[in-house]
């Protein structure tokens, strides 16, 4: 039979065999395969000597059980077979060599800190198991004191990582908070990279108040990725706010910006939902921030449960505070009753539906919670009868019953039923992921007009109430009458009281209208409307012949507002071609077009650089369902965490993990271990003590 040549693996096309074995059996020649270097990163090939080496083993020169430091892969081998490589990578000598090299690098990194980034942390399965448990607890909002029992449960269920090896004295349940801090540091480092890459940034600040009236700011950010054009919403942390006025808010925001490396020219949007922060904007916080961030525009949306009016406005409308106190007392008293009447059940459903915690130190803005007001209105006759039956036994019930019977209480409830659905509908728009910005300006304008009209002509619910009231002559006073509603006689219905109510209605509606316009300044509405006109294909004229003069005024507005970051002459010159291309992309949404422009590898990004800049600013606008869910989750975690802990220490880290932490399989626990163990090193501890 003729002799033949065999090869164990294919040699890459165009390459000559790199070497051949010295095996005396010349019938079968084997050659070095370049692809092995990709699979085995430690593999090195000497093209002159035609031998394979292990870089790790040559560097360590670890002695084997026979007392020799040499092996086939330190002196060189021509055994070009893949199973030879597999045998070596699983050998004790190779594993020992890896350990020696890591220890050496760790020692050198202590002498030379710049080498620390090169050091790969040995990921001990037991350490990962402990950190994974701590991570999962934060994600699921499990109290920290459960850590020890959870680890014991895993051992009981034969978790090999926790049973098979030691995880050092550092890894114990008492250090859970420090582990969470290390995990949060990994996530915050990702935030910094995201912020650095983003051309522009939007910020959301949400005020919270604890039981001691200590204020803090929960800060979120929106960023845009130039690599994909996609947006991200992330939680930066909860920060204590010193006592003081507007300057403290501006100072804290500036401090957060410095901490996360946000350049002042990158910050284009600031959103604050709470009514008190809107008031502070008027008193100078916004102006202070604008002086730091020249591109900044403020927009203050409406969020569930937040007051429609700032505290000073509530105080200036005398009856408003009294109404909230009355409704609060009704809910608290009725929640303690054991009865099962339909009125009581409805109030309890509201507490559950709206997740209202009567034990929370945070003020409940009853005049801003539509379901709560609606329940008071629908169950009003039942509540009056219930409170009357309890009046002899309870002075509180007697006082509430008298208050609920007053004309002003019922009439003001009707005003709220006319006003709150308008704002509820407006608030829902900001939670839509691909919100049509073109309708924002008309919606705000229409809402302001409706509120203005209700000052002179009553809203539907108030008008129906006035029509349904029955007038009956008084038996005890000739010439006077009494007013009844749903079988209950109303108190304080004299002309003086009615005139006083008219003044209350006007002042309340004017305050709410003014607050709405303060939340959405005309310059911001104009900017958002202009962004929509330029970047929303669905806003363009139906005919190509009509786009000649379309959008010119809107573009001029944006070019003037953002003159620091665009070249106006170039943008105006590019606009006719830009419009024709957008017209042909009518199937795209506002967000789709902006993403296409911001994506750094797209043709449109190259063709229209100024429009790419404006699109990035538009995408950084802090709106959408993802952001709304994270803000809501943040409030929930903060409220629950403070109730458990009584203080904010470590709470921000917990919130970060719960809000932004990815699935456990996607998190870099090796880096978290490195951060955690660096804080336990003697040098670090000594530095902290000093």
């Amino acid at each position: 039979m003729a002799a033949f040549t065999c090869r164990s693996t294919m040699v890459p096309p165009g390459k000559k065999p790199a070497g051949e074995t010295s095996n005396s059996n010349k019938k079968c020649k084997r050659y070095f395969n370049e692809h092995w270097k990709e699979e085995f990163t430690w593999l090195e090939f000497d093209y002159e000597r035609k031998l394979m080496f292990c870089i790790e083993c040559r560097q360590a020169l670890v002695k084997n059980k026979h007392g020799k430091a040499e092996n086939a892969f330190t002196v060189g081998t021509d055994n070009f077979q893949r199973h030879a490589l597999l045998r070596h990578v699983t050998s004790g000598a190779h594993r020992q060599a890896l350990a020696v090299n890591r220890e050496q690098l760790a020692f050198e990194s202590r002498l030379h800190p710049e080498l620390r980034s090169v050091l790969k942390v040995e990921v001990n399965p037991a350490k990962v198991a402990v950190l994974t448990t701590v991570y999962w607890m934060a994600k699921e909002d499990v109290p920290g004191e459960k850590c020890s029992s959870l680890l014991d449960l895993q051992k009981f269920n034969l978790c090999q990582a926790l049973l098979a090896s030691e995880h050092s004295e550092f890894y114990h349940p008492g250090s859970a908070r420090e582990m969470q801090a290390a995990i949060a540091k990994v996530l915050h480092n990702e935030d910094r990279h995201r912020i650095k890459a983003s051309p522009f940034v939007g910020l959301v600040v949400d005020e919270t108040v604890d039981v001691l009236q200590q204020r803090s700011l929960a800060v979120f950010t929106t960023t845009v990725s130039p690599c994909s054009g996609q947006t991200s919403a992330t939680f930066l942390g909860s920060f204590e706010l010193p006592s003081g006025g507007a300057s403290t808010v501006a100072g804290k925001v500036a401090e957060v910006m410095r901490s996360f490396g946000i350049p002042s020219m990158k910050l284009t949007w600031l959103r604050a939902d709470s009514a008190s922060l809107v008031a502070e904007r008027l008193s100078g916080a916004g102006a202070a921030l604008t002086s730091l961030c020249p591109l900044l525009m403020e927009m203050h949306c409406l969020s569930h449960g937040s007051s429609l009016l700032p505290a000073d406005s509530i105080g200036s409308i005398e009856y408003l505070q009294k109404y909230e106190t009355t409704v609060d007392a009704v809910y608290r008293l009725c929640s303690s009753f054991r009865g099962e009447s339909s009125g009581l059940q409805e109030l309890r459903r509201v507490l559950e539906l709206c997740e209202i915690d009567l034990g929370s130190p945070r003020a409940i803005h009853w005049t801003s919670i539509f379901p709560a007001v609606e329940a008071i209105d629908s169950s009003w006759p039942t509540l009056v009868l219930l409170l009357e039956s309890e009046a002899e036994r309870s002075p509180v019930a007697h006082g509430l019953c008298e208050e609920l019977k007053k004309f002003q209480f019922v009439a003001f409830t009707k005003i709220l039923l006319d006003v709150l659905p308008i704002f509820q509908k407006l608030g829902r728009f900001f939670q839509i992921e691909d919100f049509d910005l073109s309708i924002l300006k008309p919606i705000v304008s229409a809402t302001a007009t409706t509120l203005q009209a209700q000052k002179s002509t009553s809203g539907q619910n108030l008008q129906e109430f006035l029509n349904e009231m029955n007038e009956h002559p008084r038996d005890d006073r000739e010439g006077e009458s009494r007013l009844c509603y749903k079988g209950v006689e109303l108190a304080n219905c004299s002309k003086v009281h009615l005139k006083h109510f008219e003044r209350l209605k006007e002042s309340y509606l004017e305050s709410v209208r003014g607050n709405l316009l303060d939340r959405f300044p005309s310059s911001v509405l104009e900017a958002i409307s202009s962004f929509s006109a330029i970047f929303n294909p669905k806003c363009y004229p139906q005919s190509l012949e009509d786009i000649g003069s379309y959008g010119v005024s809107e573009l001029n507005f944006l070019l003037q507002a953002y003159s620091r970051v665009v070249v106006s002459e170039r943008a105006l010159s590019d606009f006719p071609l830009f419009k024709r291309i957008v017209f042909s992309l009518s199937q795209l949404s506002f967000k789709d077009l902006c993403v296409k422009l911001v994506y750094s590898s797209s043709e449109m990004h190259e063709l229209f650089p100024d429009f790419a800049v404006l699109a990035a600013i538009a995408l950084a606008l802090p709106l959408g369902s993802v952001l709304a869910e994270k803000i809501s989750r943040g409030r929930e975690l903060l409220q629950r965490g403070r109730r458990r802990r009584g203080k904010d220490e470590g709470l921000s880290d917990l919130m970060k993990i719960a809000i932004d932490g990815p699935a456990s399989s996607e998190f870099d626990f090796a880096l978290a271990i490195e951060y955690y163990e660096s804080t336990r090193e003697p040098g670090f501890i000594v530095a902290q003590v000093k």
Side-chain angles (χ1 to χ4, degrees):
M1 183 180 288
F4 64 91
T5 301
C6 71
R7 298 181 182 181
S8 62
T9 54
M10 293 292 291
V11 177
K15 282 192 81 74
K16 292 182 179 179
E20 62 181 51
T21 65
S22 57
N23 195 320
S24 59
N25 181 8
K26 297 296 181 181
K27 291 182 179 180
C28 183
K29 296 182 180 180
R30 295 187 176 91
Y31 303 96
F32 180 76
N33 190 334
E34 291 288 341
H35 292 307
W36 289 339
K37 287 184 177 179
E38 298 173 10
E39 185 178 359
F40 305 100
T41 55
W42 44 264
L43 185 61
E44 187 179 55
F45 184 70
D46 188 326
Y47 288 92
E48 292 183 3
R49 297 166 61 192
K50 298 180 181 179
L51 295 174
M52 298 189 301
F53 297 89
C54 172
I55 299 171
E56 297 283 355
C57 288
R58 292 184 82 179
Q59 180 180 332
L61 288 177
V62 178
K63 293 182 180 180
N64 60 23
K65 62 183 179 181
H66 303 295
K68 296 180 179 181
E70 297 86 8
N71 63 52
F73 281 85
T74 58
V75 298
T77 178
D78 60 2
N79 186 11
F80 302 130
Q81 299 182 78
R82 187 171 179 276
H83 70 80
L85 300 173
L86 291 172
R87 277 201 309 271
H88 177 71
V89 79
T90 56
S91 68
H94 182 75
R95 288 202 300 268
Q96 194 176 352
L98 290 175
V100 169
N101 290 338
R102 271 198 297 270
E103 288 174 8
Q104 180 64 24
L105 188 55
F107 174 75
E108 291 175 359
S109 71
R110 293 190 188 100
L111 300 178
H112 305 285
E114 66 273 10
L115 295 176
R116 183 176 291 275
S117 60
V118 181
L119 177 61
K120 291 183 180 179
V121 177
E122 180 184 1
V123 185
N124 184 315
K127 295 177 181 179
V128 173
V130 176
L131 251 75
T132 305
T133 302
V134 171
Y135 184 84
W136 177 85
M137 289 173 63
K139 287 290 291 178
E140 298 298 324
D141 195 26
V142 177
E145 56 268 21
K146 300 290 184 184
C147 185
S148 181
S149 59
L150 278 172
L151 291 173
D152 289 340
L153 175 64
Q154 291 177 80
K155 289 178 182 178
F156 178 79
N157 287 331
L158 305 179
C159 172
Q160 293 302 314
L162 292 173
L163 289 172
S165 57
E166 293 296 323
H167 41 79
S168 92
E169 60 188 22
F170 298 156
Y171 290 81
H172 54 83
S175 300
R177 184 173 295 174
E178 289 83 357
M179 294 181 209
Q180 287 164 352
I183 292 168
K185 185 177 179 181
V186 173
L187 296 172
H188 281 313
N189 278 351
E190 292 174 2
D191 294 341
R192 289 183 175 88
H193 287 303
R194 203 177 286 115
I195 288 168
K196 186 177 181 181
S198 181
F200 299 102
V201 174
L203 276 188
V204 179
V205 291
D206 190 41
E207 183 195 30
T208 58
V209 184
D210 65 15
V211 68
L212 300 175
Q213 297 301 304
Q214 175 61 55
R215 299 166 65 200
S216 60
L217 288 182
V219 182
F220 298 80
T221 185
T222 51
T223 54
V224 184
S225 168
C227 298
S228 63
Q230 297 300 318
T231 57
S232 299
T234 51
F235 173 68
L236 296 187
S238 180
F239 306 94
E240 187 176 324
L241 193 62
S243 58
S247 60
T248 61
V249 177
K252 181 56 67 175
V253 172
E255 183 183 317
V256 173
M257 287 173 62
R258 286 192 297 271
S259 173
F260 283 89
I262 304 175
S264 58
M265 283 295 289
K266 272 193 179 185
L267 186 61
T268 50
W269 303 102
L270 177 68
R271 168 179 161 184
D273 293 356
S274 69
S276 58
L277 290 176
V278 176
E280 287 183 0
R281 181 189 71 79
L282 300 176
S283 62
L289 285 170
T290 304
S291 66
L292 296 171
C293 311
L295 301 181
L296 183 67
M297 286 195 181
E298 296 174 76
M299 185 177 69
H300 305 285
C301 303
L302 296 157
S303 58
H304 171 71
S306 64
S307 177
L308 294 183
L309 296 172
D312 56 348
S313 294
I314 293 174
S316 65
I317 303 173
E318 184 181 344
Y319 182 69
L320 194 59
Q321 200 163 3
K322 185 175 184 180
Y323 181 89
E324 288 210 329
T325 302
T326 302
V327 172
D328 188 79
V330 168
Y331 271 94
R332 291 180 188 278
L333 185 64
C334 290
S335 66
S336 65
F337 287 159
R338 296 183 179 180
E340 295 297 328
S341 68
S342 58
L344 289 176
Q345 288 179 355
E346 191 170 357
L347 296 185
R348 289 167 185 160
R349 274 197 300 271
V350 167
L351 295 176
E352 186 177 342
L353 174 69
C354 299
E355 298 179 345
I356 297 172
D357 181 10
L358 295 176
S360 169
R362 190 170 184 171
I364 302 169
H365 304 292
W366 296 103
T367 54
S368 300
I369 305 173
F370 179 62
V373 175
E374 194 176 33
I376 289 288
D377 176 69
S378 61
S379 60
W380 178 78
T382 308
L383 287 175
V384 170
L385 291 174
L386 179 65
L387 292 170
E388 278 182 342
S389 67
E390 296 288 330
E392 290 186 8
R393 291 190 296 272
S394 169
V396 174
H398 175 75
L400 288 175
C401 182
E402 294 300 309
E403 191 61 38
L404 261 64
K405 287 181 180 180
K406 290 179 181 178
F407 168 85
Q408 188 164 262
F409 179 87
V410 182
F412 190 72
T413 301
K414 301 298 182 179
I415 290 178
L416 292 176
L417 291 178
D418 287 324
V419 170
L420 292 179
I422 302 172
F423 284 92
Q424 192 177 44
K425 193 175 294 183
L426 184 61
R428 285 201 192 105
F429 279 110
F430 301 111
Q431 298 177 21
I432 299 172
E433 192 54 40
D434 204 355
F435 175 60
D436 184 358
L437 297 179
S438 65
I439 64 175
L440 178 59
K441 186 177 179 181
I443 286 175
V444 173
S445 178
T447 303
T449 303
T450 302
L451 294 171
Q452 180 67 29
Q454 286 189 17
K455 289 169 62 179
S456 52
T457 59
S458 300
Q460 181 182 346
N461 286 280
L462 179 58
Q463 191 59 55
E464 287 177 357
F465 162 66
L466 296 175
N467 294 337
E468 287 178 27
M469 279 195 306
N470 299 314
E471 190 172 356
H472 301 279
R474 297 185 68 94
D475 297 330
D476 54 343
R477 295 179 189 173
E478 190 175 343
E480 291 190 22
S481 59
R482 56 194 179 90
L483 296 175
C484 295
Y485 177 62
K486 293 187 176 180
V488 178
E489 182 178 346
L490 299 176
N492 294 5
C493 299
S494 68
K495 290 182 179 179
V496 174
H497 287 108
L498 295 178
K499 190 173 287 187
H500 179 75
F501 172 74
E502 281 298 320
R503 289 197 297 270
L504 166 65
K505 182 180 78 169
E506 288 185 18
S507 62
Y508 172 73
L509 291 171
E510 183 55 38
S511 295
V512 171
R513 179 179 175 275
N515 184 254
L516 172 70
L517 297 177
D518 289 340
R519 286 178 179 271
F520 302 98
S522 58
S523 59
V524 174
L525 290 177
E526 190 64 37
I528 292 174
S529 179
S530 298
F531 276 122
S532 182
I534 303 300
F535 296 110
N536 190 348
K538 293 175 175 57
C539 292
Y540 274 55
Q542 295 296 312
S543 171
L544 189 60
E545 297 172 356
D546 298 331
I547 69 169
S549 59
Y550 173 78
V552 174
S553 60
E554 288 85 353
L555 179 60
N556 281 327
F557 179 89
L558 294 176
L559 293 177
Q560 185 176 356
Y562 300 106
S563 58
R564 294 169 179 261
V565 289
V566 292
V567 180
S568 299
E569 295 80 6
R570 182 176 61 190
L572 289 168
S573 175
D574 290 343
F575 196 35
L577 177 59
F578 177 80
K579 285 190 289 186
R580 295 179 75 87
I581 293 176
V582 173
F583 181 84
S584 69
L585 298 172
S586 58
Q587 76 280 5
L588 295 183
S589 67
F590 172 87
K591 186 175 182 180
D592 291 338
L593 179 62
C594 288
V595 167
K596 191 178 281 287
L597 280 161
V598 172
Y599 178 42
S600 57
S601 297
S602 71
E603 290 182 5
M604 289 193 74
H605 182 88
E606 296 290 334
L607 277 172
F608 307 110
D610 301 299
F611 291 93
V613 169
L614 294 175
I617 294 172
L619 284 177
L621 191 63
L623 294 174
S625 59
V626 174
L627 177 61
E629 287 169 9
K630 290 195 173 189
I631 293 172
S632 177
R633 176 75 169 140
R635 289 174 181 166
E636 176 191 335
L637 290 167
L638 193 59
Q639 186 176 352
R640 196 178 303 159
R642 281 176 171 168
R643 199 159 59 239
R644 285 178 186 162
R645 295 162 168 249
K647 54 184 178 178
D648 287 358
E649 187 180 351
L651 186 54
S652 184
D653 293 332
L654 269 173
M655 292 171 65
K656 177 62 181 175
I657 299 167
I659 295 170
D660 289 333
S664 300
S665 58
E666 298 173 12
F667 183 75
D668 188 353
F669 285 101
L671 187 56
I673 289 171
E674 182 179 350
Y675 286 156
Y676 173 62
E677 295 192 346
S678 70
T679 65
R680 318 295 281 189
E681 290 175 0
F684 179 87
I685 296 171
V686 170
Q688 295 301 304
V689 172
K690 289 181 180 178

